[in-house]
């Protein structure tokens, strides 16, 4: 199945599922285990199974088959870390909305967010620390 351009990003529901995998399933989780970690009301098994197929096609998750006496169970695991996805996503945001300019991206957040003087000071400290590396 050919990949589409929007396959690079996660939808809200896909992000919820990936969050569960990143937090609890680095070694793999079944569909039932993923549902167990969902808050109430829990989604239907078929809903999560459908999203797991989508995430597999989009290459965000991989799976192994586990054979039990009753059935074949798929054990899903993330193919990229939360940090890797966040970095990739933010680079795309910077390119798409801010002409590739980190300065424009940072300026946007400083202007749009109601940051306290303490928060701005912390941001400056982080930036100074990174420049000093």
């Amino acid at each position: 199945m050919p990949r589409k351009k929007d396959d690079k990003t996660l939808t809200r529901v896909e992000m919820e599922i990936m969050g569960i995998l990143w937090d609890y399933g680095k070694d793999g989780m079944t569909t039932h285990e993923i549902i167990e970690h969902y808050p109430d009301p829990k989604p239907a098994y078929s809903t999560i199974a459908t999203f797991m197929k989508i995430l597999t096609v989009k290459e965000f998750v991989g799976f192994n088959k586990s054979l039990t006496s009753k059935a074949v169970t798929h054990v899903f695991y993330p193919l990229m870390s939360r940090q890797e996805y966040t970095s990739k996503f933010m680079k795309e945001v910077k390119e798409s909305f801010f002409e590739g300019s980190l300065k424009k991206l940072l300026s946007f957040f400083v202007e749009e967010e109601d940051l306290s003087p303490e928060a701005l000071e912390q941001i400056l400290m982080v930036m100074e620390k990174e420049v000093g590396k």
Side-chain angles (χ1 to χ4, degrees), residues 69-115:
S69 60
K70 296 181 181 180
V72 174
T73 303
H74 289 82
V75 179
F76 298 95
Y77 55 89
L79 291 175
M80 71 172 58
S81 70
R82 185 188 315 259
Q83 177 62 34
E84 289 169 321
Y85 177 73
T86 302
S87 177
K88 180 178 166 187
F89 179 79
M90 290 307 296
K91 285 178 185 173
E92 290 175 19
V93 167
K94 183 178 76 169
E95 294 300 320
S96 298
F97 296 103
F98 301 99
E99 302 167 359
S101 169
L102 180 60
K103 180 181 174 186
K104 288 181 181 182
L105 176 113
L106 292 173
S107 295
F108 171 82
F109 284 108
V110 168
E111 292 169 7
E112 289 294 316
E113 296 293 318
D114 188 21
L115 298 172

Side-chain angles (χ1 to χ4, degrees), residues 115-129:
L115 298 172
S116 68
E118 294 82 17
L120 285 171
E121 177 111 8
Q122 287 178 333
I123 291 169
L124 288 172
M125 286 173 50
V126 168
M127 292 172 72
E128 287 173 359
K129 180 181 171 187

Side-chain angles (χ1 to χ4, degrees), residues 13-83:
V13 175
E14 292 167 351
M15 186 64 139
E16 289 173 2
I17 293 169
M18 289 303 297
I20 291 169
L21 285 171
W22 285 324
D23 291 342
Y24 306 104
K26 289 176 181 51
D27 295 325
M29 297 177 81
T30 65
T31 302
H32 286 296
E33 291 170 332
I34 293 167
I35 293 168
E36 286 174 16
H37 285 87
Y38 249 89
D40 290 327
K42 301 208 183 281
Y45 179 92
S46 59
T47 301
I48 298 303
T50 298
F51 276 104
M52 296 317 295
K53 288 178 188 172
I54 292 167
L55 288 167
T56 301
V57 169
K58 291 171 87 170
E59 299 178 355
F60 282 100
V61 300
F63 66 90
N64 293 314
K65 292 181 182 180
S66 175
L67 214 49
T68 66
S69 60
K70 296 181 181 180
V72 174
T73 303
H74 289 82
V75 179
F76 298 95
Y77 55 89
L79 291 175
M80 71 172 58
S81 70
R82 185 188 315 259
Q83 177 62 34

